[in-house]
Amino acid sequence: ALCQWDGLVAHISGTVQKVDIKERSIHLTIAVDTVGVPGGQVENIHSKTLVQLNRSTANVSRILAVDLTGRRVSLEGRISLPPGRRNPGAFDYSLYLKGKGIGTLCSASPYRLQVHHIENHFCHALAMHKGQFLEWADVSMRNDSFSLLSGLLFGEKSAMTGDMYEAFRQSGMSHLFAVSGLHVGLLYGVVLKFTKKSSRMVSNVLVLVSVVVYAALANFSVSVLRASGMTFLSLIATFLRRRYDLVSAASAMSLILLTANPYHIFDAGFQLSFLAVYSIGVVLPFFDLKIKELADRRKKSWIRSFGRV
């Protein structure tokens, strides 16, 4: 609904869903519910925009910025459409934002931003606790250690220097900073380990709560939503005493995510996440079966041992 305001200055109001602290600006993902001409009438809409506050964050604390999460805000800024692919095969910023449900950009001055009451208390509380933890870690750790910690835990790469990220990218290890099913799986295992003496119901509830909270801390990335949904299906299968099938659970989550937002299909995180799951659920069992057949035909046990590796 905001696309028709391309190139125009508009007064928008909505709830802040996400705050990204950049080196020279603060990016706010806002779920917009009203838009209109500054000083004029407004209309009700349902849209999402990415607001860039043109301000250096050198003297702004992380706590002050993340305090905006979950709050209702209103501001005046210029609406624009995100740029598409500039060269064949290059990165398409417009499709990237559409995969996150964002259709427009908004450039605004921080002095035009009016902060109101808290509308989403859950997201606000989580953002504040996350901000306080990162603030404490930033003070207590060296810059390189802190940037690695924030990147590995939450996928926050803003504190990472360009040289460090480039070193990880060239070594093929930059995917570690993309919060994915690996993180959810580790969390799942840790919670089960600490609750193994509790009842099954208590253990399942704690796992579910932990996964939901971590998904919120990781800003509900597609790969985390996929892993969280599959974990939820696994818990349901255990509760109903039904067989859990990896490929069926992954396919169900892909249908759910694509129904919610078809543009997820263009998201590299979506593509790689499901490619990994289908590789584990389809490709590996196929090769495992072929290796076992070869070992039985040749009557060589070392072939099966080598195949396991």
Side-chain angles (χ1 to χ4, degrees), residues 69-85:
T69 308
R71 289 187 179 272
R72 183 169 184 80
V73 298
S74 57
L75 56 90
E76 294 178 5
R78 185 174 298 277
I79 308 297
S80 62
L81 298 178
R85 184 179 288 110

Side-chain angles (χ1 to χ4, degrees), residues 55-101:
R55 178 182 181 183
S56 174
T57 60
N59 298 321
V60 178
S61 67
R62 181 176 285 103
I63 299 299
L64 187 62
V66 300
D67 182 59
L68 296 173
T69 308
R71 289 187 179 272
R72 183 169 184 80
V73 298
S74 57
L75 56 90
E76 294 178 5
R78 185 174 298 277
I79 308 297
S80 62
L81 298 178
R85 184 179 288 110
R86 297 177 178 177
N87 293 297
F91 176 67
D92 193 326
Y93 189 50
S94 177
L95 277 181
Y96 169 77
L97 290 181
K98 286 181 179 179
K100 299 182 180 300

Side-chain angles (χ1 to χ4, degrees), residues 164-185:
M164 177 182 292
Y165 185 76
E166 184 65 18
F168 275 92
R169 191 188 67 80
Q170 291 183 358
S171 63
M173 301 294 290
S174 60
H175 64 277
L176 290 175
F177 302 109
V179 179
S180 61
L182 173 65
H183 298 70
V184 177

